[in-house]
């Protein structure tokens, strides 16, 4: 039995439950955010690829950024699991409730941050790649034939409509990337704080 001071046991038998809850919640929430972002952004890429197939490879960036969120959750979960120590040979627990609360907070911090970032990346990616496809294809649909194609025609200002479409699509793409980068930063902030939290420990040895 661990020493009980003022009616409080520093290393109760239920303390590791909070550590494992932190690890599992981090992995589950981070995977949820990653799947959410991949799902929404993937739908946008598939929809855009119908009318503008040339932009599919260029616009898989939101899917890649959403997939990274699961790696953040995996890193923190592995760190937490390795920090959960088993009882001694005499069945005394050395994993303190302080560690359990800290690891639980770290798991929620990283997991919820990845969940928020995944939703943001998915929605922004979906809208962004669809808008890019419309702008790059000049609003043309895949079922339109070549008749009446105004790509390359002069708009009366000495510029080509096709060139304007490509230039406008590239500007839109840059803006989408900036928004995605700051959305990904939300998960990175949660990862950093979770790593700092996981370094705080107290053992009943």
């Amino acid at each position: 039995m661990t020493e009980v001071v003022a009616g409080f046991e520093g290393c109760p038998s239920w303390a590791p439950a909070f550590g494992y809850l932190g690890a599992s919640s981090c992995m589950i929430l981070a995977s949820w955010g990653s799947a959410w972002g991949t799902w929404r952004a993937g739908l946008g890429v598939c929809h855009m690829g119908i009318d503008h197939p040339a932009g599919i490879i260029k616009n898989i960036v939101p899917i890649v950024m959403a997939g990274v969120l699961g790696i953040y959750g995996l890193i923190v979960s592995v760190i937490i699991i390795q920090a959960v120590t088993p009882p001694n040979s005499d069945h005394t627990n050395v994993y303190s409730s302080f560690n359990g609360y800290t690891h639980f907070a770290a798991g929620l911090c990283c997991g919820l941050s990845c969940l928020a970032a995944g939703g943001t990346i998915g929605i922004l990616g979906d809208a962004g790649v669809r808008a890019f496809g419309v702008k790059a294809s000049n609003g043309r649909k895949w079922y339109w034939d070549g008749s009446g194609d105004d790509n390359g025609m002069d708009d009366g200002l000495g510029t080509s409509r096709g060139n304007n479409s490509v230039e406008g699509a590239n500007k839109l793409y840059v803006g989408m990337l900036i928004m995605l980068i700051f959305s990904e930063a939300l998960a990175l902030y949660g990862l950093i704080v979770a790593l700092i939290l996981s370094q705080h420990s107290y053992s009943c040895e």
Side-chain angles (χ1 to χ4, degrees), residues 47-127:
H47 184 275
M48 181 271 303
I50 297 175
D51 299 324
H52 187 61
I56 293 178
I57 302 300
K58 185 177 182 179
N59 285 277
I60 62 172
V61 175
I63 299 176
V64 175
M65 297 181 73
V68 173
L69 301 178
I71 300 177
Y72 293 166
L74 177 64
I75 293 173
V76 175
S77 296
V78 169
I79 292 175
I80 294 175
I81 291 173
Q82 290 180 340
V84 179
T85 55
N88 290 329
S89 57
D90 57 353
H91 304 292
T92 57
N93 189 27
V94 296
Y95 186 80
S96 64
S97 56
F98 176 86
N99 290 353
Y101 298 147
T102 302
H103 292 156
F104 185 56
L108 288 180
C109 182
C110 180
L112 290 175
S113 297
C114 290
L115 179 60
T120 307
I121 291 173
I123 295 173
L124 281 176
D126 185 15

Side-chain angles (χ1 to χ4, degrees), residues 114-154:
C114 290
L115 179 60
T120 307
I121 291 173
I123 295 173
L124 281 176
D126 185 15
V129 298
R130 288 174 189 255
F132 176 87
V134 172
K135 191 68 175 178
S137 62
N138 206 17
R140 297 184 60 82
K141 297 297 182 180
W142 64 271
Y143 48 80
W144 291 4
D145 56 17
S147 60
D149 190 358
D150 57 359
N151 288 335
M153 293 181 59
D154 193 278

Side-chain angles (χ1 to χ4, degrees), residues 5 24 33 35-36 64 68 97 102 106 111 128 131 133 149 160 167 179 182 190 201:
V5 180
S24 59
W36 188 8
V64 175
V68 173
S97 56
T102 302
D149 190 358
S160 170
E167 182 180 357
M179 290 184 285
F182 281 97
S201 62

